[in-house]
Amino acid sequence: DAGVTQSPTHLIKTRGQQVTLRCSPISGHKSVSWYQQVLGQGPQFIFQYYEKEERGRGNFPDRFSARQFPNYSSELNVNALLLGDSALYLCASSLYTGVRNTEAFFGQGTRLTVV
Amino acid sequence: SQQGEEDPQALSIQEGENATMNCSYKTSINNLQWYRQNSGRGLVHLILIRSNEREKHSGRLRVTLDTSKKSSSLLITASRAADTASYFCATGAYSGAGSYQLTFGKGTKLSVIP
């Protein structure tokens, strides 16, 4: 079975532009979460989606938005990019939420550089 | 914000030695997970320990959890050069709204010298 897949792997954008990152969860997983990891830090929670509904949101500005599709894949959108948005964006999928303790499996990430 | 704090921040050992990393956290949790990250790429899931468990093993990995002290440790036995990576602990917590999120520490950078 394929793991969590993210695209693209690398991206360079200019300040003020908009970006869309994509994630396909492990087959059968209905929960997708997004994390931002800046250099030298641990990942920080941005969003969680389960069954196509937003279930949780971290402390990020409204420039960040996401959605989950009927096939459980997800997109993360960031508008009006700032230099500080440069980071590794990680997608995690897990089997359940709110019911049992389950592992979260991560993709390889998208490295976004804002210039 | 970061909840977990790994200790030490960096660790350098010889191949064959054991490596111990510690993690402390602040709030109540449902579980704690350990991850490995190579060269700033994706996180590899190592082990999950539930809040009602005290110890768990997986191959050369041993994880302990002390909820009274809000701390966990990861022991890698008989380390190999391939274990060189950053290791993160992440506390998992559910909210009443059905949200589940992981809160990570800053990680321990492990270097295993051949």
Side-chain angles (χ1 to χ4, degrees):
Chain A
D1 276 343
V4 180
T5 57
Q6 291 187 243
S7 64
T9 54
H10 293 86
L11 204 51
I12 300 175
K13 289 284 189 178
T14 304
R15 276 179 297 175
Q17 284 189 316
Q18 175 262 344
V19 68
T20 298
L21 311 181
R22 295 176 175 83
C23 171
S24 292
I26 293 169
S27 177
H29 285 195
K30 298 181 180 180
S31 177
V32 171
S33 298
W34 288 94
Y35 291 80
Q36 181 197 63
Q37 185 181 23
V38 299
L39 200 62
Q41 300 290 318
Q44 289 212 322
F45 173 72
I46 309 175
F47 284 111
Q48 187 219 354
Y49 276 78
Y50 178 65
E51 287 283 17
K52 293 154 283 186
E53 290 186 5
E54 181 183 308
R55 295 301 183 99
R57 184 185 182 116
N59 188 23
F60 281 82
D62 291 343
R63 300 185 296 107
F64 288 76
S65 63
R67 54 180 175 168
Q68 186 177 34
F69 299 98
N71 65 353
Y72 303 109
S73 67
S74 178
E75 285 182 353
L76 175 70
N77 296 284
V78 187
N79 294 322
L81 285 166
L82 304 173
L83 294 180
D85 296 329
S86 295
L88 181 68
Y89 288 85
L90 295 159
C91 172
S93 83
S94 57
L95 194 55
Y96 293 113
T97 181
V99 176
R100 50 184 281 188
N101 291 293
T102 60
E103 295 90 343
F105 297 95
F106 284 79
Q108 286 298 301
T110 294
R111 173 74 64 188
L112 172 64
T113 302
V114 182
V115 298
Chain B
S1 61
Q2 311 277 171
Q3 153 141 269
E5 290 290 336
E6 285 92 343
D7 171 53
Q9 291 186 339
L11 181 60
S12 183
I13 59 173
Q14 296 289 326
E15 204 166 27
E17 293 181 338
N18 295 341
T20 300
M21 288 159 267
N22 302 296
C23 168
S24 60
Y25 57 92
K26 297 173 185 172
T27 61
S28 60
I29 62 172
N30 296 101
N31 60 65
L32 188 144
Q33 304 185 45
W34 283 90
Y35 290 86
R36 184 184 75 230
Q37 186 176 44
N38 293 85
S39 302
R41 296 305 296 170
L43 298 170
V44 175
H45 187 271
L46 296 176
I47 200 163
L48 177 151
I49 186 165
R50 295 176 173 77
S51 59
N52 61 353
E53 297 176 316
R54 293 295 167 257
E55 188 171 312
K56 206 160 180 182
H57 296 256
S58 176
R60 294 184 296 113
L61 306 180
R62 172 180 171 253
V63 167
T64 62
L65 179 64
D66 187 336
T67 52
S68 66
K69 295 181 180 178
K70 292 187 168 58
S71 67
S72 174
S73 68
L74 170 68
L75 169 67
I76 304 174
T77 60
S79 63
R80 306 166 182 169
D83 294 328
T84 294
S86 291
Y87 291 82
F88 293 90
C89 71
T91 53
Y94 295 98
S95 74
S99 167
Y100 174 76
Q101 70 179 71
L102 295 175
T103 306
F104 287 82
K106 293 184 180 181
T108 291
K109 195 165 187 179
L110 174 66
S111 298
V112 181
I113 303 165

